[in-house]
Amino acid sequence: MKLSNFLKACMLGSALALATLSPAQAETLRVMTGSASNPLSVPMNRAVVVESDQPFAELSIANPGIADITTLSDRTIYILGKVPGRTTMTILGGDGKLITNVEVQVTPDIGEFKERLSQILPGESIEVRTANDGIVLSGTVSSSAKLDRALDLANRYAPGRVSNLMSVGGTQQVMLKVRFAEMQRSVAKNLSASLAIKGTGFGDNVGIIGGTGNFTQSGAVSGAFPETGNGTIPIDSSTEGALGLGFSAGSLEFAVLMEALESKGAVRTLAEPNLTALSGQKADFLAGGEYPIPVVDDNGGVKIEYKPFGVAMAFTPRVVDGDLINLEIAAEVSGVDTSVSMSSGGFAVNAFKTRRTSTTVEMRDGESFAIAGLLQDDFYDLSGQVPWLGDIPVLGALFRSAEYSRQQSELVIIVTPHLVTPTRGEALALPTDRVRPPSEAEFFLFGKTEKGPKSGAAAEVAKQDFSGSYGYVME
């Protein structure tokens, strides 16, 4: 026979021998006569062969449900682990004397578990041990997600009997930077005209008033100008942008009042709260105040409840894997709205204007998300006129009034998480470090109330004024 054929035959015979072996491979241990044996560890669903140094006549096991025993010869015992637990095997000689007691401990099969763990989580330093009938995991993992995977896999082999002694390495503290940016712009235009005619020769109760001008209230004719005798028109002091003209012709007095007003306004709201929390722990933040609200109880008494307002934020960060961060965040900007109020029982309570969002996002360290945005454009116009007279060409403008208003606003909320670690206190700067009180010469001679930085972001903010362009822009 050639050498190559011989090698092939050997390889084929080895493969057949391996194929006939049971998955539960047996381990051989020796038991000495007359000595109490150390605990015998038997993996669940695996077997151990025990050899005695002298023949035995009788075998017994305290709990057959934990392990099963079979004699292979008068010196060899086959022990098969069934369920995790502890039991005792007793070996007696031919004369009925005790040879030894063997404590059998059936443990979960951590051999296969270790293999699967190294395949699923390669590179993680996880130590696996058995304790009683459970599995103990210890070591350090790189993220909480991998810790959960290791625990899920361990529960497959020992359901409900897994002890977690692992710790998560890396940075586990998250600083969340939230930017609230809101821009509001309002434009209003108002144009109205009034015409008043009064005939003094017909008595004080005869007159015509057109339009919606603000003539002073005097005399018998409501809204007419008083009898000055020289055709002048006294205008109400609350009137803005008004032009009045009056003249008399014999017994008739004429008055024309025109009001034209245009108003523009812009509001910028910017808040940047920062908050740091440990992974998995909730943190909240409020910069504002509390508004008192009277509440009537069941006994008819009045008690005060406080409603918080201002810039509020609450978030729960979770470092998922490496620098991947899961964020549960609730952000709110609120303020007292003095334009809406309610009075009851002698108490006046204002409404609140609130912008609120609550969401869950996932991003990496240093990345940003615009979690909320609102573009709002409110427009209305109003035209009023005296019936029929307002429809007259040209002269009808004296009997009409028109109002126009437009309000535009844009709100954006942007969040940016950062993985952070503690630092030395000397490296942290306070807002008060950038400003110092002025000297007497700077205060009295130059009128400076504070002395701030000459460069940097704080200096750029200090240079800003209201002379630039304003409004809202949506890009």
Side-chain angles (χ1 to χ4, degrees), residues 190 192 194 212-216 233-244 257-261:
N190 190 335
S192 62
S194 297
T212 58
N214 292 327
F215 291 102
T216 54
I233 304 176
I235 302 174
D236 192 347
S237 59
S238 62
T239 304
E240 297 181 1
L243 174 62
L257 177 63
M258 298 190 66
E259 296 180 70
L261 181 63

Coordinates of all heavy atoms in Angstrom, one line a residue, residues 190 192 194 212-216 233-244 257-261:
N190 N -51.7 101.3 9.9 CA -53.1 101.7 10.2 C -53.3 103.0 9.5 O -52.5 104.0 9.6 CB -53.3 101.9 11.7 CG -54.7 102.1 12.1 OD1 -55.5 102.6 11.3 ND2 -55.0 101.8 13.4
S192 N -56.6 105.7 8.7 CA -58.0 106.0 8.9 C -58.3 107.5 8.7 O -57.3 108.3 8.9 CB -58.5 105.6 10.3 OG -57.8 106.3 11.3
S194 N -61.5 110.7 9.1 CA -62.8 111.1 9.7 C -63.1 112.5 9.1 O -62.3 113.4 9.0 CB -62.7 111.1 11.2 OG -62.5 109.8 11.7
T212 N -63.4 107.0 11.5 CA -63.1 106.5 12.9 C -62.1 107.4 13.5 O -61.3 106.9 14.3 CB -62.7 105.0 12.9 OG1 -61.5 104.9 12.1 CG2 -63.8 104.1 12.3
G213 N -62.0 108.6 13.2 CA -61.0 109.5 13.8 C -61.3 109.7 15.3 O -62.4 109.6 15.7
N214 N -60.2 110.1 16.0 CA -60.3 110.3 17.4 C -60.5 111.8 17.8 O -59.6 112.4 18.2 CB -59.1 109.8 18.2 CG -59.0 108.3 18.1 OD1 -60.1 107.6 18.1 ND2 -57.8 107.7 18.0
F215 N -61.7 112.3 17.5 CA -62.0 113.6 17.9 C -62.3 113.6 19.4 O -62.8 112.6 19.9 CB -63.3 114.2 17.2 CG -63.1 114.5 15.7 CD1 -63.5 113.6 14.8 CD2 -62.4 115.6 15.3 CE1 -63.3 113.8 13.4 CE2 -62.2 115.9 14.0 CZ -62.7 115.0 13.0
T216 N -62.0 114.7 20.0 CA -62.3 114.8 21.5 C -63.8 114.8 21.7 O -64.6 115.4 20.9 CB -61.7 116.0 22.1 OG1 -62.1 117.2 21.4 CG2 -60.2 115.9 22.1
I233 N -59.3 122.1 15.6 CA -59.7 120.7 16.0 C -58.8 120.2 17.1 O -57.7 120.0 16.9 CB -59.6 119.7 14.8 CG1 -60.5 120.2 13.6 CG2 -60.1 118.3 15.2 CD1 -60.3 119.3 12.4
P234 N -59.3 120.2 18.3 CA -58.5 119.6 19.4 C -58.5 118.1 19.2 O -59.5 117.4 19.2 CB -59.3 120.0 20.7 CG -60.6 120.3 20.2 CD -60.6 120.7 18.8
I235 N -57.3 117.5 19.2 CA -57.1 116.0 18.9 C -56.9 115.3 20.3 O -56.2 115.9 21.1 CB -56.0 115.8 18.0 CG1 -56.3 116.5 16.6 CG2 -55.8 114.3 17.7 CD1 -55.2 116.4 15.6
D236 N -57.4 114.2 20.4 CA -57.2 113.4 21.6 C -55.7 113.2 21.9 O -54.9 112.9 21.0 CB -57.9 112.1 21.5 CG -58.0 111.4 22.9 OD1 -57.3 111.8 23.8 OD2 -58.8 110.4 23.0
S237 N -55.3 113.3 23.1 CA -53.8 113.1 23.4 C -53.3 111.7 23.2 O -52.1 111.5 23.1 CB -53.6 113.5 24.9 OG -54.4 112.7 25.8
S238 N -54.2 110.7 23.2 CA -53.8 109.3 22.9 C -53.6 109.0 21.4 O -53.2 107.9 21.1 CB -54.8 108.3 23.5 OG -56.1 108.5 22.9
T239 N -54.0 109.9 20.6 CA -53.9 109.7 19.1 C -52.4 109.8 18.7 O -51.7 110.8 19.1 CB -54.8 110.7 18.4 OG1 -56.1 110.6 18.9 CG2 -54.7 110.4 16.9
E240 N -52.0 108.9 17.9 CA -50.6 108.9 17.3 C -50.7 109.0 15.8 O -51.6 108.4 15.2 CB -49.9 107.6 17.7 CG -49.7 107.5 19.2 CD -48.9 106.2 19.6 OE1 -48.5 105.5 18.6 OE2 -48.7 106.0 20.7
G241 N -49.8 109.7 15.2 CA -49.7 109.9 13.8 C -50.9 110.5 13.2 O -51.4 110.1 12.1
A242 N -51.5 111.6 13.9 CA -52.7 112.2 13.4 C -52.4 113.6 12.8 O -51.5 114.3 13.2 CB -53.7 112.3 14.6
L243 N -53.2 113.9 11.8 CA -53.2 115.2 11.2 C -54.6 115.7 11.1 O -55.5 115.1 10.5 CB -52.6 115.0 9.7 CG -52.6 116.3 8.9 CD1 -51.7 117.4 9.6 CD2 -52.1 116.0 7.5
G244 N -54.8 116.9 11.7 CA -56.2 117.4 11.8 C -56.2 118.8 11.1 O -55.3 119.6 11.1
L257 N -59.9 114.7 10.0 CA -58.9 114.1 10.8 C -58.4 112.9 10.1 O -59.1 112.0 9.8 CB -59.4 113.7 12.2 CG -58.4 113.0 13.1 CD1 -57.2 113.9 13.4 CD2 -59.1 112.6 14.4
M258 N -57.0 112.8 9.9 CA -56.4 111.6 9.2 C -55.4 111.1 10.2 O -54.6 111.8 10.8 CB -55.8 112.0 7.9 CG -56.7 112.6 6.9 SD -56.0 112.8 5.3 CE -55.6 111.1 4.9
E259 N -55.4 109.7 10.3 CA -54.5 109.0 11.2 C -53.8 108.0 10.4 O -54.4 107.1 9.7 CB -55.2 108.3 12.4 CG -55.9 109.3 13.3 CD -56.6 108.5 14.4 OE1 -55.9 108.0 15.3 OE2 -57.8 108.5 14.4
A260 N -52.5 108.0 10.4 CA -51.6 107.0 9.7 C -50.5 106.6 10.6 O -49.7 107.5 11.1 CB -51.0 107.6 8.4
L261 N -50.4 105.3 10.9 CA -49.4 104.8 11.8 C -48.8 103.5 11.3 O -49.5 102.6 10.9 CB -50.1 104.6 13.2 CG -49.1 104.1 14.3 CD1 -48.1 105.2 14.6 CD2 -49.9 103.8 15.6

